[in-house]
Amino acid sequence: MNDAGVGRLLVASLHQGIADVLPTRLDFYESWLNPAGLRDGRIGLAPMAAVLSFLRQEGEQYNAIARRAGEYTAEWMVLAMSPLERRFTNALPPRVRLWYVMRLVRRLVRQTYGGSRAIVRWRTAGVGAVDLRGSLFCQVREPVAQPLCAFYAAAIRKLAALFQLDVTVQTNGCRGAGAAQCLMVLAFRPEAQAQ
C-alpha cells in the first residue's frame, strides 16, 4: 500500500474492470489510474475518489465495473496465496473453510483501502452479516439511489466460490444510499457446492 492507504490490488482491478466494460473511456480514467503510478504504488486517495465519482456518473456501467473489479480482486488475491495455503483451505470442512474465507474477506477489505474494515458476525448457523466500515466506494456527498457496495459483495461471492462454498450475498444497507451502515447479509448452504 502507499501512504494514502489505497491498495494496488484495488487500483489494478478497477483499471481492468473499466477496460472490460468501458474500453472507449479507459483513456479518460487513466488520467488517474495510470500504469506508471500503479507500478510505483503512487495512486493516492484523491485520484481514487475522483475515479469512483466519475464512475458513479456512468450509470449501470458503474455496477458492472464494480462487480467485475471485486471478482478480479478476489481471484488475484487467491492466486497470490501459496499453493499450500490454497490446498489446506480447500481441505478444511465446509464450516471451518467458511470461517477461514471470512478471514480472507477481512484481509481483502484491509488491503484494498487502509481505512476500511469488515466485521463478520454469524447470527445463526449459515446466516451472517458483514458490516463494512470506511468503504471508499460509499463515500459520497449526497446519498445515491442504489447501494454502492457491489465491489465488496462480488468479492465476497467470488472468494467463497473459489473455495467451493455456496454463499449468497445481499446488500442490506449502504452508507452511500443513506443507510446508517454498509451491511451485507450472507447465507451459507453447507450441503451445496459453488459453481
Side-chain angles (χ1 to χ4, degrees):
M1 283 190 202
N2 64 17
D3 295 336
V6 178
R8 288 181 182 181
L9 189 56
L10 171 61
V11 178
S13 63
L14 266 178
H15 185 274
Q16 188 60 49
I18 294 167
D20 292 350
V21 177
L22 293 173
T24 59
R25 302 270 294 145
L26 186 59
D27 286 344
F28 173 74
Y29 287 104
E30 282 186 340
S31 300
W32 297 280
L33 301 177
N34 61 64
L38 174 59
R39 186 175 48 251
D40 299 338
R42 292 183 292 112
I43 305 292
L45 191 55
M48 181 56 67
V51 166
L52 293 174
S53 177
F54 283 114
L55 279 175
R56 285 190 291 270
Q57 296 175 30
E58 299 282 0
E60 184 52 38
Q61 278 85 1
Y62 167 81
N63 281 326
I65 291 167
R67 280 191 303 270
R68 195 164 291 202
E71 291 171 355
Y72 282 134
T73 299
E75 287 175 7
W76 295 342
M77 182 180 179
V78 170
L79 287 173
M81 294 168 64
S82 73
L84 179 64
E85 185 180 8
R86 287 196 301 268
R87 279 194 307 274
F88 170 77
T89 305
N90 274 318
L92 293 170
R95 290 193 188 280
V96 178
R97 191 175 340 137
L98 177 65
W99 172 83
Y100 190 77
V101 167
M102 290 303 116
R103 287 180 53 95
L104 293 177
V105 166
R106 289 194 295 272
R107 186 187 321 165
L108 181 145
V109 170
R110 278 192 314 273
Q111 285 179 354
T112 54
Y113 171 55
S116 295
R117 296 288 177 265
I119 299 168
V120 181
R121 292 193 177 97
W122 292 100
R123 297 178 187 148
T124 61
V127 178
V130 175
D131 181 359
L132 190 61
R133 298 184 180 177
S135 169
L136 275 177
F137 291 88
C138 302
Q139 293 178 4
V140 294
R141 291 181 186 163
E142 303 277 329
V144 296
Q146 295 183 6
L148 301 173
C149 304
F151 174 86
Y152 289 112
I156 293 167
R157 253 193 257 42
K158 189 65 174 183
L159 264 178
L162 288 169
F163 290 105
Q164 291 76 47
L165 295 169
D166 184 15
V167 176
T168 58
V169 182
Q170 180 181 356
T171 302
N172 201 23
C174 175
R175 283 186 180 93
Q181 63 186 24
C182 291
L183 189 69
M184 287 170 265
V185 176
L186 310 174
F188 168 57
R189 294 187 309 158
E191 67 283 352
Q193 288 234 327
Q195 300 295 327

